[in-house]
Amino acid sequence: MIKIGKMLQQLLSSLGEKPATHRYPFERVSLPPRFRGKLKFYPEKCIGCRLCMRDCPSAAIQINKIGEKRFEAVISLDRCIYCAQCVDVCPKKALEITSEFELAQLDRKNLKAVFSPPAEPPSAGQAGATNASPETKAPEGA
Amino acid sequence: MSRIKIPIGPQHPALKEPENFQLALEGERIMEAGMRLGYNHRGMEKACEQRSYIQDIYLLERVCGICSHSHSTCFVQAVEEIAGLQITPRAAYIRVLIGELERIHSHMLWFGVAAHEVGFDTLLMYSWRDREIVMDLLAEISGNRVNYAINTIGGVRRDITPELSARIAQGIDRLEERTKYYIQVATEEATLIARLSKVGFLSKQDALALGAIGPTGRASAVDSDTRRDDPYAVYNELAFKVITDEHCDVYGRTLVRLGELMETYKIIRQVLERLPEGPLTVKAPRKIPAGEAFSRYEAPRGEDVHYVRSNGTEKPERVKVRAPTLANLASVAKMLENNYLADAPIIIAAIDPCFSCTDRALVLKEANGRNRRSMEWDALRTYGIEWHRRRGIDFAGAGKRLLKLMEGH
């Protein structure tokens, strides 16, 4: 049955329907739980083995020793390819993926996520510990 | 009638990726076609030699945005062969499942693009709307819509839960219903049949002589499919037909891909039914023993080939990628002959080209075969301007304007 206008019926039935496109950003899209988004780092679990640094395909993660058994992670969000290999390789589950994906910035400086351990108790007497917040704050409305 | 040579590309509205075709025209007809690669060369094979095997999986996954799973599976198969690893049946089944889901999204994408190239944008919109079903499924299984990162050396990284299995089955039912509708559209819509028939003809002899593979070859009645001829993973346990077609033109290539979609749904249903229990990975050494392997994989565009050579360290000594498009490119020149210029976009699109996967670099050697010649950037620019000037295209004016702009910075 060869004829012209085979898709006409489909078009007419679509007239009364809503658009299939999500009206992002006004409508939020729910992401699957396994979605590989921004990394999260737990400084208290890290033992500083640096396996994640060794296996990262794009050298996006940097583990710095900032004191006795205290490590901070610096993750370059622009270098990261969100493959979660570091999460797989971490023996202490100090890294995990979140479903945060809106990471665009106007300034490259903001594409660094620094995860520092909490400030040391004064008894240890280590100097030079940074007391940065556990996560960098991205500027609102960028 | 005098011949006119026109270049199409590297930047052209009809091409999605940079590629250069030189067409010799007589009036409206293409008499001869030549092409040049190399506008999108990224040096990935070389980069693979400086990274460990684990890192290479993610690098090679990004060779192509559409057949990402094909390249990563092809690579890990080669590495596993060298290391003598036997992956678990469950891992093999999951690899097949992702591979077939990827085939659905690739063929759906191609169907939309082909419709768009002939001006049937309605079909593009609907087929891509339905393609979202499979994209969402892939994102749910693996955590990303494009780069699934499902493979690791010695198995897979993500499991298929029963809930996911049910979701996939639902999605497949919906997609099958839609694909049946598209097959109706492709076989009954008079305008589409008239537009695609007899365009880009490639006879069976030519297809064999030029080495056309995948749907391009199968549409010219070349009955070859790596999944059947050299089964990898678990394709030897699955029942499916290899779709071929006698049309030998763009219309045939459309029908082959739509037919393959129907076979793919069958394969996925079998995989979901038979998914065996077991662990996902076997332990893989970081240092792969010395050796070499050659791995074949039926990507959506045809047979993908990886050659990996190891020297006993953490990094491969050589990785060679032969993407399917490279094998199909030779037949494009043949297909373009004796067609109208207006058909060039659809003929090029009909092999489902992926120029980024395909690109190769040329190393210039002196005629004595000894000295390699490398060019500084300025010399290369001058050479390029000269090269085009010899062919009657003068960029000198534009070059001066560009220099002025660059001095301003």
Side-chain angles (χ1 to χ4, degrees), chain A residues 6 14 34 36 85 88, chain B residues 58 126 141 147 157 159:
Chain A
K6 172 72 197 164
S14 300
R34 286 181 182 184
R36 303 195 305 271
Q85 176 64 36
D88 283 13
Chain B
Y58 303 111
Y126 281 100
I141 299 165
N147 294 307
R157 298 171 63 203
D159 202 2

Side-chain angles (χ1 to χ4, degrees), chain B residues 326-337:
Chain B
L326 193 65
N328 283 332
L329 267 180
S331 37
V332 172
K334 185 79 197 164
M335 290 175 200
L336 284 166
E337 280 169 25

Side-chain angles (χ1 to χ4, degrees), chain B residues 288-340:
Chain B
I288 304 293
E292 57 184 2
F294 189 79
S295 149
R296 304 166 71 191
Y297 183 100
E298 183 71 26
R301 289 163 179 67
E303 185 188 51
D304 184 19
V305 170
H306 282 222
Y307 166 80
V308 181
R309 185 154 140 199
S310 143
N311 51 6
T313 57
E314 284 189 3
K315 295 171 184 175
E317 190 178 345
R318 176 82 172 100
V319 177
K320 163 97 179 81
V321 178
R322 205 269 350 240
T325 304
L326 193 65
N328 283 332
L329 267 180
S331 37
V332 172
K334 185 79 197 164
M335 290 175 200
L336 284 166
E337 280 169 25
N338 269 326
N339 279 282
Y340 292 111

Side-chain angles (χ1 to χ4, degrees), chain B residues 42-231:
Chain B
R42 294 163 295 171
M44 281 194 171
E45 288 180 4
K46 195 71 195 164
C48 281
E49 296 165 21
Q50 291 146 26
R51 285 167 174 77
S52 68
Y53 287 96
I54 290 275
Q55 292 171 339
D56 282 345
I57 299 172
Y58 303 111
L59 177 64
L60 285 166
E61 193 157 43
R62 283 156 178 79
V63 165
C64 176
I66 300 171
C67 33
S68 55
H69 182 75
S70 310
H71 285 287
S72 86
T73 308
C74 205
F75 174 73
V76 294
Q77 277 177 185
V79 176
E80 281 156 7
E81 193 181 319
I82 300 171
L85 295 171
Q86 192 62 43
I87 61 167
T88 59
R90 189 175 179 89
Y93 267 96
I94 292 175
R95 271 184 197 177
V96 168
L97 174 72
I98 300 281
E100 293 303 318
L101 285 170
E102 180 183 73
R103 200 176 309 274
I104 298 173
H105 110 71
S106 177
H107 283 350
M108 282 272 201
L109 177 134
W110 176 85
F111 190 53
V113 169
H116 168 74
E117 296 289 5
V118 297
F120 196 179
D121 274 18
T122 307
L123 188 53
L124 160 79
M125 297 295 168
Y126 281 100
S127 60
W128 279 41
R129 181 194 71 184
D130 297 331
R131 179 174 159 263
E132 283 302 305
I133 300 170
V134 75
M135 297 306 275
D136 288 346
L137 284 177
L138 282 165
E140 251 178 280
I141 299 165
S142 67
N144 198 314
R145 288 164 53 95
V146 175
N147 294 307
Y148 323 115
I150 202 91
N151 284 317
T152 187
I153 293 164
V156 292
R157 298 171 63 203
R158 299 276 183 275
D159 202 2
I160 306 284
T161 58
E163 300 86 63
L164 268 177
S165 186
R167 300 273 312 235
I168 297 168
Q170 265 177 10
I172 294 302
D173 291 345
R174 174 96 184 100
L175 281 161
E176 186 171 45
E177 183 191 320
R178 294 299 304 169
T179 308
K180 278 180 182 155
Y181 173 74
Y182 291 129
I183 290 178
Q184 273 182 4
V185 171
T187 48
E188 293 176 21
E189 170 64 57
T191 52
L192 193 70
I193 298 169
R195 181 69 184 82
L196 298 179
S197 293
K198 307 279 183 294
V199 170
F201 189 83
L202 181 76
S203 67
K204 186 177 176 177
Q205 292 83 356
D206 284 337
L208 284 168
L210 296 165
I213 52 169
T216 312
R218 288 195 282 273
S220 294
V222 178
D223 189 10
S224 81
D225 189 323
T226 316
R227 293 176 294 171
R228 185 201 56 197
D229 304 338
D230 184 8

Side-chain angles (χ1 to χ4, degrees), chain A residues 52-93:
Chain A
C52 50
M53 277 173 70
R54 188 186 64 177
D55 266 354
C56 178
S58 56
I61 186 164
Q62 177 78 34
I63 304 285
N64 299 323
K65 190 170 181 176
I66 54 167
E68 197 56 42
K69 288 193 179 168
R70 295 170 72 247
F71 300 94
E72 72 163 13
V74 181
I75 295 162
S76 313
L77 300 175
D78 47 351
R79 291 193 68 104
C80 181
I81 59 167
Y82 305 95
C83 66
Q85 176 64 36
C86 51
V87 179
D88 283 13
V89 84
C90 182
K92 293 289 170 193
K93 303 271 182 292

